[in-house]
Amino acid sequence: MPRKTPVRRVVVTPDKHFPLAYMPAIKVLCKSIEILKPDSYVDLGDVGEWESCSHWKWKKRKRPPLDYQLPDIEKDIKDVNNGMDIIDESLDKANCKTKHFCEGNHEDWLTRFNDEHPYLGYSVKEALQLEKRGYRYHPMGKYLKIGKLHFYHGHHYASVNHTRNHLMKLGVNIMYGHHHDVQQSSVTHMDGQKSAWSIGCLKDMSDEENSWLGYRKTNWSHAFSIVDFFESGYFTVHVIQIIKGKTSLWGEIIDGNK
C-alpha cells in the first residue's frame, strides 16, 4: 500500500563500496526502505570500491597490459551491479520510482579509466546500467537540489569539522558522504538557518577490510538518512545510525544480522 503523508520522503544512502559493503547494514537499509516507502532515493556515490581501476593500485609498480586489467574490472562491475540489485529490489517493492545517483570519487576512477579507453564502453552510466535501472545521473562535483537541500558525494573542504567548513564555503543546506563519519553543523545567516550533514557510510569497517589504513582506528559510522520535504521546500532530517547491524526505526528494532 502507498504511504499516505503530506510530506515527500527521500531516503539517502552514503558510501557502500561494494563488494566491501557491510551486508548487515545493507539489510537494515533494505528493510527500512520497504517500511518507509520513500517517494525518492538518493545514492551519494562510492557505491563501488573500484579497486581494479584505482590509481593507488599501481602507485608503486608498473601498470600491466590492458589484457591483465580487464578481468578485475569486469569482476568489479559485476560485484557492484549485484550490490545495487539488492537495494533496487527493495526500492521496487516500495514502489519508489524516482532515483538519483551522485557520482563519487571512486566512480571517478572508473570514469578516468574509461576516458583512457573509451572504446571499451566502461562509463559509469553504462557499467552500472543507470538508465535501465531508472536513475538520474549526476556527474562528479555536480550538485543535486531537492527543495532547499543540496546533495553531492563530498570531496572538498576536508577538516576535523568538515560540515562547518562546507557551510562556510557553500552557504547552503548540504548533505554528503565521502568522509564516512556522522556529523552535523548549523549556522544562522540573515536569510535563516542552514545546516550541513555528513551521513556516514555502509562499508565494512573491520580491520581486515581496511588494512590499507595501516589498521588505525577511524571515526566512521554506519548510517543513512531520511529527509521529509514539505511543500515549501523546507525539510526535516533523520540520520539513522546502524550499530553492529541493528537500528531502531521510530521504535521498531530492525536487525540486519538475520
Side-chain angles (χ1 to χ4, degrees):
M1 292 293 291
R3 173 179 50 81
K4 295 181 179 180
T5 174
V7 299
R8 181 166 47 133
R9 178 156 295 160
V10 181
V11 167
V12 188
T13 63
D15 312 40
K16 291 157 282 294
H17 292 267
F18 289 115
L20 304 183
Y22 185 59
M23 292 314 296
I26 296 296
K27 289 180 181 179
V28 167
L29 167 67
C30 290
K31 291 179 180 180
S32 299
I33 286 172
E34 292 172 28
I35 292 170
L36 293 164
K37 294 181 171 53
D39 301 288
S40 302
Y41 173 72
V42 176
D43 189 317
L44 291 178
D46 279 9
V47 68
E49 179 68 12
W50 301 114
E51 181 184 7
S52 60
C53 45
S54 165
H55 59 281
W56 298 106
K57 184 173 183 177
W58 310 110
K59 185 177 181 180
K60 295 182 179 180
R61 47 187 174 157
K62 184 178 179 180
R63 186 187 293 268
L66 191 60
D67 288 352
Y68 287 87
Q69 299 176 60
L70 290 182
D72 287 343
I73 292 174
E74 290 284 357
K75 183 179 184 303
D76 274 355
I77 290 173
K78 181 179 179 180
D79 288 342
V80 177
N81 274 282
N82 287 342
M84 291 186 72
D85 286 346
I86 295 170
I87 298 173
D88 280 346
E89 182 179 354
S90 288
L91 290 168
D92 288 343
K93 289 180 180 178
N95 198 33
C96 179
K97 302 295 186 183
T98 303
K99 299 187 286 186
H100 297 272
F101 185 88
C102 301
E103 183 178 281
N105 60 297
H106 281 240
E107 278 81 42
D108 189 53
W109 297 346
L110 181 62
T111 295
R112 291 169 185 267
F113 180 85
N114 184 67
D115 288 344
E116 293 177 20
H117 311 283
Y119 52 88
L120 293 175
Y122 283 159
S123 71
V124 171
K125 292 175 69 174
E126 292 174 302
L128 299 183
Q129 308 172 70
L130 293 180
E131 185 174 344
K132 180 180 177 181
R133 292 179 182 277
Y135 282 82
R136 300 176 188 177
Y137 170 66
H138 306 277
M140 178 73 176
K142 299 295 184 180
Y143 297 90
L144 163 66
K145 186 173 185 286
I146 302 175
K148 296 182 182 295
L149 179 59
H150 294 74
F151 302 88
Y152 88 129
H153 173 66
H155 61 284
H156 302 305
Y157 321 129
S159 64
V160 173
N161 196 345
H162 47 85
T163 48
R164 184 162 185 85
N165 213 0
H166 271 77
L167 284 176
M168 296 298 102
K169 298 292 185 180
L170 298 177
V172 296
N173 295 305
I174 186 81
M175 180 175 287
Y176 57 91
H178 185 62
H179 295 270
H180 292 197
D181 63 350
V182 172
Q183 192 177 116
Q184 178 186 353
S185 291
S186 298
V187 297
T188 300
H189 294 151
M190 291 294 286
D191 59 345
Q193 187 188 59
K194 301 178 182 70
S195 294
W197 291 266
S198 170
I199 63 167
C201 70
L202 295 167
K203 184 181 181 182
D204 189 334
M205 300 188 297
S206 64
D207 287 343
E208 291 76 16
E209 292 294 356
N210 293 293
S211 57
W212 58 277
L213 287 171
Y215 300 102
R216 71 177 183 267
K217 298 303 178 185
T218 68
N219 60 343
W220 298 357
S221 295
H222 290 143
F224 66 94
S225 73
I226 305 164
V227 186
D228 283 345
F229 288 91
F230 304 97
E231 289 185 1
S232 60
Y234 289 102
F235 57 89
T236 58
V237 171
H238 307 268
V239 177
I240 309 300
Q241 290 193 258
I242 303 168
I243 309 299
K244 295 185 177 180
K246 293 183 180 180
T247 196
S248 172
L249 183 64
W250 301 326
E252 180 178 347
I253 299 297
I254 300 178
D255 191 345
N257 298 292
K258 298 179 180 178

PDB file of all heavy atoms in Angstrom, residues 10-25:
ATOM      1  N   VAL A  10      12.387  11.162   1.201  1.00  0.00           N
ATOM      2  CA  VAL A  10      13.567  10.761   0.442  1.00  0.00           C
ATOM      3  C   VAL A  10      14.495   9.963   1.352  1.00  0.00           C
ATOM      4  O   VAL A  10      14.805  10.407   2.463  1.00  0.00           O
ATOM      5  CB  VAL A  10      14.314  11.994  -0.120  1.00  0.00           C
ATOM      6  CG1 VAL A  10      15.530  11.564  -0.938  1.00  0.00           C
ATOM      7  CG2 VAL A  10      13.380  12.853  -0.965  1.00  0.00           C
ATOM      8  N   VAL A  11      14.928   8.796   0.895  1.00  0.00           N
ATOM      9  CA  VAL A  11      15.950   8.021   1.594  1.00  0.00           C
ATOM     10  C   VAL A  11      17.279   8.293   0.908  1.00  0.00           C
ATOM     11  O   VAL A  11      17.389   8.227  -0.323  1.00  0.00           O
ATOM     12  CB  VAL A  11      15.631   6.517   1.586  1.00  0.00           C
ATOM     13  CG1 VAL A  11      16.854   5.698   2.018  1.00  0.00           C
ATOM     14  CG2 VAL A  11      14.463   6.220   2.514  1.00  0.00           C
ATOM     15  N   VAL A  12      18.298   8.616   1.703  1.00  0.00           N
ATOM     16  CA  VAL A  12      19.617   8.975   1.181  1.00  0.00           C
ATOM     17  C   VAL A  12      20.658   8.024   1.749  1.00  0.00           C
ATOM     18  O   VAL A  12      20.698   7.795   2.965  1.00  0.00           O
ATOM     19  CB  VAL A  12      19.993  10.428   1.554  1.00  0.00           C
ATOM     20  CG1 VAL A  12      21.267  10.859   0.844  1.00  0.00           C
ATOM     21  CG2 VAL A  12      18.845  11.386   1.253  1.00  0.00           C
ATOM     22  N   THR A  13      21.496   7.451   0.860  1.00  0.00           N
ATOM     23  CA  THR A  13      22.500   6.497   1.332  1.00  0.00           C
ATOM     24  C   THR A  13      23.902   6.953   0.959  1.00  0.00           C
ATOM     25  O   THR A  13      24.134   7.436  -0.153  1.00  0.00           O
ATOM     26  CB  THR A  13      22.262   5.082   0.762  1.00  0.00           C
ATOM     27  OG1 THR A  13      22.389   5.109  -0.667  1.00  0.00           O
ATOM     28  CG2 THR A  13      20.891   4.582   1.142  1.00  0.00           C
ATOM     29  N   PRO A  14      24.850   6.785   1.876  1.00  0.00           N
ATOM     30  CA  PRO A  14      26.241   7.136   1.605  1.00  0.00           C
ATOM     31  C   PRO A  14      27.026   5.930   1.087  1.00  0.00           C
ATOM     32  O   PRO A  14      26.446   4.899   0.735  1.00  0.00           O
ATOM     33  CB  PRO A  14      26.740   7.575   2.982  1.00  0.00           C
ATOM     34  CG  PRO A  14      26.012   6.644   3.924  1.00  0.00           C
ATOM     35  CD  PRO A  14      24.652   6.402   3.290  1.00  0.00           C
ATOM     36  N   ASP A  15      28.325   6.055   1.126  1.00  0.00           N
ATOM     37  CA  ASP A  15      29.305   5.141   0.544  1.00  0.00           C
ATOM     38  C   ASP A  15      29.094   3.675   0.951  1.00  0.00           C
ATOM     39  O   ASP A  15      29.194   3.332   2.129  1.00  0.00           O
ATOM     40  CB  ASP A  15      30.701   5.567   0.984  1.00  0.00           C
ATOM     41  CG  ASP A  15      30.919   7.056   0.788  1.00  0.00           C
ATOM     42  OD1 ASP A  15      29.998   7.873   1.058  1.00  0.00           O
ATOM     43  OD2 ASP A  15      32.019   7.430   0.378  1.00  0.00           O
ATOM     44  N   LYS A  16      28.874   2.826  -0.043  1.00  0.00           N
ATOM     45  CA  LYS A  16      28.693   1.396   0.191  1.00  0.00           C
ATOM     46  C   LYS A  16      29.914   0.566  -0.190  1.00  0.00           C
ATOM     47  O   LYS A  16      30.186  -0.465   0.395  1.00  0.00           O
ATOM     48  CB  LYS A  16      27.453   0.898  -0.572  1.00  0.00           C
ATOM     49  CG  LYS A  16      26.156   1.449   0.033  1.00  0.00           C
ATOM     50  CD  LYS A  16      25.021   1.465  -0.954  1.00  0.00           C
ATOM     51  CE  LYS A  16      25.097   2.596  -1.924  1.00  0.00           C
ATOM     52  NZ  LYS A  16      24.941   3.938  -1.322  1.00  0.00           N
ATOM     53  N   HIS A  17      30.622   0.994  -1.205  1.00  0.00           N
ATOM     54  CA  HIS A  17      31.885   0.380  -1.612  1.00  0.00           C
ATOM     55  C   HIS A  17      31.756  -1.124  -1.904  1.00  0.00           C
ATOM     56  O   HIS A  17      32.622  -1.905  -1.531  1.00  0.00           O
ATOM     57  CB  HIS A  17      32.966   0.609  -0.554  1.00  0.00           C
ATOM     58  CG  HIS A  17      33.393   2.049  -0.432  1.00  0.00           C
ATOM     59  ND1 HIS A  17      34.455   2.584  -1.122  1.00  0.00           N
ATOM     60  CD2 HIS A  17      32.866   3.072   0.301  1.00  0.00           C
ATOM     61  CE1 HIS A  17      34.578   3.872  -0.823  1.00  0.00           C
ATOM     62  NE2 HIS A  17      33.619   4.195   0.032  1.00  0.00           N
ATOM     63  N   PHE A  18      30.670  -1.523  -2.576  1.00  0.00           N
ATOM     64  CA  PHE A  18      30.558  -2.920  -2.979  1.00  0.00           C
ATOM     65  C   PHE A  18      31.803  -3.330  -3.767  1.00  0.00           C
ATOM     66  O   PHE A  18      32.309  -2.555  -4.570  1.00  0.00           O
ATOM     67  CB  PHE A  18      29.312  -3.123  -3.863  1.00  0.00           C
ATOM     68  CG  PHE A  18      28.005  -3.024  -3.150  1.00  0.00           C
ATOM     69  CD1 PHE A  18      27.122  -1.987  -3.454  1.00  0.00           C
ATOM     70  CD2 PHE A  18      27.632  -3.951  -2.196  1.00  0.00           C
ATOM     71  CE1 PHE A  18      25.897  -1.892  -2.820  1.00  0.00           C
ATOM     72  CE2 PHE A  18      26.413  -3.861  -1.546  1.00  0.00           C
ATOM     73  CZ  PHE A  18      25.544  -2.835  -1.858  1.00  0.00           C
ATOM     74  N   PRO A  19      32.387  -4.522  -3.557  1.00  0.00           N
ATOM     75  CA  PRO A  19      31.874  -5.639  -2.739  1.00  0.00           C
ATOM     76  C   PRO A  19      32.302  -5.583  -1.274  1.00  0.00           C
ATOM     77  O   PRO A  19      32.217  -6.585  -0.571  1.00  0.00           O
ATOM     78  CB  PRO A  19      32.511  -6.844  -3.429  1.00  0.00           C
ATOM     79  CG  PRO A  19      33.830  -6.329  -3.901  1.00  0.00           C
ATOM     80  CD  PRO A  19      33.579  -4.909  -4.327  1.00  0.00           C
ATOM     81  N   LEU A  20      32.754  -4.410  -0.802  1.00  0.00           N
ATOM     82  CA  LEU A  20      33.223  -4.274   0.579  1.00  0.00           C
ATOM     83  C   LEU A  20      32.152  -3.677   1.487  1.00  0.00           C
ATOM     84  O   LEU A  20      32.473  -3.176   2.562  1.00  0.00           O
ATOM     85  CB  LEU A  20      34.486  -3.412   0.625  1.00  0.00           C
ATOM     86  CG  LEU A  20      35.664  -3.874  -0.248  1.00  0.00           C
ATOM     87  CD1 LEU A  20      36.868  -2.969  -0.046  1.00  0.00           C
ATOM     88  CD2 LEU A  20      36.036  -5.325   0.065  1.00  0.00           C
ATOM     89  N   ALA A  21      30.905  -3.724   1.076  1.00  0.00           N
ATOM     90  CA  ALA A  21      29.814  -3.213   1.922  1.00  0.00           C
ATOM     91  C   ALA A  21      29.636  -4.118   3.139  1.00  0.00           C
ATOM     92  O   ALA A  21      29.952  -5.315   3.111  1.00  0.00           O
ATOM     93  CB  ALA A  21      28.522  -3.155   1.124  1.00  0.00           C
ATOM     94  N   TYR A  22      29.120  -3.522   4.221  1.00  0.00           N
ATOM     95  CA  TYR A  22      28.794  -4.296   5.413  1.00  0.00           C
ATOM     96  C   TYR A  22      27.366  -4.802   5.253  1.00  0.00           C
ATOM     97  O   TYR A  22      26.410  -4.033   5.395  1.00  0.00           O
ATOM     98  CB  TYR A  22      28.930  -3.418   6.660  1.00  0.00           C
ATOM     99  CG  TYR A  22      28.719  -4.167   7.956  1.00  0.00           C
ATOM    100  CD1 TYR A  22      29.512  -5.251   8.300  1.00  0.00           C
ATOM    101  CD2 TYR A  22      27.722  -3.768   8.856  1.00  0.00           C
ATOM    102  CE1 TYR A  22      29.334  -5.938   9.487  1.00  0.00           C
ATOM    103  CE2 TYR A  22      27.530  -4.453  10.050  1.00  0.00           C
ATOM    104  CZ  TYR A  22      28.331  -5.527  10.349  1.00  0.00           C
ATOM    105  OH  TYR A  22      28.148  -6.208  11.530  1.00  0.00           O
ATOM    106  N   MET A  23      27.222  -6.075   4.927  1.00  0.00           N
ATOM    107  CA  MET A  23      25.926  -6.588   4.499  1.00  0.00           C
ATOM    108  C   MET A  23      24.836  -6.502   5.561  1.00  0.00           C
ATOM    109  O   MET A  23      23.671  -6.249   5.211  1.00  0.00           O
ATOM    110  CB  MET A  23      26.073  -8.007   3.969  1.00  0.00           C
ATOM    111  CG  MET A  23      26.861  -8.080   2.661  1.00  0.00           C
ATOM    112  SD  MET A  23      26.366  -6.838   1.416  1.00  0.00           S
ATOM    113  CE  MET A  23      24.666  -7.355   1.093  1.00  0.00           C
ATOM    114  N   PRO A  24      25.119  -6.690   6.862  1.00  0.00           N
ATOM    115  CA  PRO A  24      24.048  -6.465   7.844  1.00  0.00           C
ATOM    116  C   PRO A  24      23.484  -5.044   7.782  1.00  0.00           C
ATOM    117  O   PRO A  24      22.275  -4.842   7.932  1.00  0.00           O
ATOM    118  CB  PRO A  24      24.732  -6.746   9.189  1.00  0.00           C
ATOM    119  CG  PRO A  24      25.788  -7.748   8.854  1.00  0.00           C
ATOM    120  CD  PRO A  24      26.307  -7.300   7.505  1.00  0.00           C
ATOM    121  N   ALA A  25      24.348  -4.055   7.537  1.00  0.00           N
ATOM    122  CA  ALA A  25      23.868  -2.673   7.411  1.00  0.00           C
ATOM    123  C   ALA A  25      23.055  -2.501   6.138  1.00  0.00           C
ATOM    124  O   ALA A  25      22.047  -1.776   6.118  1.00  0.00           O
ATOM    125  CB  ALA A  25      25.048  -1.705   7.425  1.00  0.00           C
TER     126      ALA A  25
END
